[in-house]
């Protein structure tokens, strides 16, 4: 069974509307991430979290907020959606191991968002 | 800052031919290097990782050697199959400099023709 689950899988939103993308993980990992995937850009980090109650800015945080209310759940919030935020969004959990350089990510299946 | 550069795609091959996807990285530390694969309609998944310089990783017939001197981690497969059609991402992590960040290349889209 999937350990990282995203909802919804597809979303159509209107410009200026509020969009919330949800992610749930059963890996019991401390770290969670939101990426967007666009042709020519690959995977770009929006926000990440290292535990319940924490959120940190990634490389492209403008226009996005994040919320981590529990170990299992991490949400991405678009307060005022714009057409430039049309993309595929991936959530991931990571098993970062202090003392080594390893941090393997486990991804969900993605949410395809269209902002009209 | 840290960065990863890989072969720009798409790469189109016939079944049975060999594959090389180049990956070069920049970092001041000693990272773990990864190859992820993303099949259509799915999220990326780990193909394999190599935490130590001069060691080789492999999975499903793919392999790559962590070359610290050349700062490279090229993905190779001797004979590709149609089912290998996917996007391949090279990535690095270094929890000693940033506990949480994983740096990805832009991805290489592989099409294998029957």
């Amino acid at each position: 069974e999937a350990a990282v689950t995203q909802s919804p899988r597809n979303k159509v939103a209107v410009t200026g509307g509020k969009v919330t993308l949800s992610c749930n993980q059963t890996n019991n990992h401390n770290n969670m991430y939101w990426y967007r995937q666009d042709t020519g850009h690959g995977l770009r980090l929006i926000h990440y979290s290292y535990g319940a109650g924490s959120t940190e800015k990634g490389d492209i945080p403008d226009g996005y907020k994040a919320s981590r209310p529990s170990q299992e759940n991490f949400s991405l919030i678009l307060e005022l959606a714009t057409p430039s935020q049309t993309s595929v969004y991936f959530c991931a959990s990571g098993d970062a191991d202090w003392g080594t350089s390893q941090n393997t990510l486990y991804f969900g299946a993605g949410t395809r968002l269209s902002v009209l | 800052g840290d960065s990863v550069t890989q072969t720009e795609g798409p790469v189109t091959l016939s079944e049975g031919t060999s594959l090389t996807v180049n990956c070069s990285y920049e970092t001041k530390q000693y990272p773990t290097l990864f190859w992820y694969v993303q099949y259509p309609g799915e999220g990326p998944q780990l193909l394999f990782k190599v935490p130590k310089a001069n060691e080789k990783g492999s999975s499903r017939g793919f392999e790559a050697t962590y070359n610290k001197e050349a700062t490279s981690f090229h993905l190779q497969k001797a004979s590709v199959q149609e089912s290998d059609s996917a996007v391949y991402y090279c990535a690095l992590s270094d929890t000693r400099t940033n506990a949480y960040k994983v740096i990805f290349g832009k991805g290489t889209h592989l099409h294998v023709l029957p």
Side-chain angles (χ1 to χ4, degrees):
Chain A
E1 57 280 349
V4 180
T5 306
Q6 295 182 232
S7 62
R9 292 295 313 278
N10 293 281
K11 174 75 176 177
V12 179
V14 296
T15 298
K18 182 177 180 178
V19 177
T20 300
L21 307 183
S22 300
C23 178
N24 176 276
Q25 59 112 349
T26 58
N27 294 321
N28 198 31
H29 291 157
N30 289 330
N31 305 330
M32 294 188 75
Y33 304 78
W34 277 105
Y35 287 87
R36 64 177 284 176
Q37 182 180 51
D38 303 283
T39 303
H41 293 280
L43 293 163
R44 293 184 289 174
L45 181 64
I46 306 169
H47 283 288
Y48 61 97
S49 166
Y50 48 85
S54 86
T55 60
E56 303 291 333
K57 294 180 180 180
D59 297 321
I60 54 164
D62 293 346
Y64 302 93
K65 288 185 178 179
S67 173
R68 181 89 181 270
S70 65
Q71 176 83 339
E72 297 79 20
N73 295 295
F74 190 39
S75 298
L76 185 69
I77 302 153
L78 290 66
E79 295 276 5
L80 295 170
T82 68
S84 65
Q85 294 174 313
T86 293
S87 186
V88 180
Y89 292 85
F90 287 98
C91 176
S93 70
D95 65 356
D97 181 5
W98 285 103
T100 75
S101 61
Q102 300 192 44
N103 184 13
T104 301
L105 298 189
Y106 299 84
F107 287 86
T111 294
R112 185 173 296 275
L113 173 65
S114 296
V115 182
L116 306 178
Chain B
D2 297 348
S3 66
V4 174
T5 304
Q6 60 181 103
T7 300
E8 289 194 21
V11 173
T12 302
L13 297 174
S14 297
E15 222 170 19
T17 58
S18 64
L19 168 73
T20 298
V21 179
N22 290 330
C23 173
S24 299
Y25 65 91
E26 288 188 25
T27 181
K28 294 182 179 178
Q29 300 296 327
Y30 303 96
T32 292
L33 300 178
F34 303 78
W35 278 102
Y36 285 82
V37 58
Q38 182 181 19
Y39 298 105
E42 300 180 9
Q45 58 183 271
L46 180 68
L47 187 56
F48 57 85
K49 62 184 177 183
V50 180
K52 286 186 177 180
N54 304 318
E55 293 191 351
K56 180 188 288 188
S58 64
S59 176
R60 308 181 208 177
F62 292 90
E63 62 181 31
T65 299
Y66 185 155
N67 188 326
K68 180 174 174 291
E69 288 70 33
T71 63
S72 67
F73 191 53
H74 305 321
L75 181 69
Q76 296 180 311
K77 188 174 186 183
S79 176
V80 296
Q81 302 173 344
E82 192 176 359
S83 58
D84 294 327
S85 297
V87 179
Y88 293 83
Y89 287 97
C90 185
L92 69 84
S93 79
D94 188 355
T95 55
R96 284 167 289 206
T97 54
N98 185 312
Y100 313 106
K101 203 163 186 182
V102 180
I103 309 295
F104 286 88
K106 292 185 176 181
T108 301
H109 201 155
L110 172 65
H111 297 279
V112 180
L113 303 175

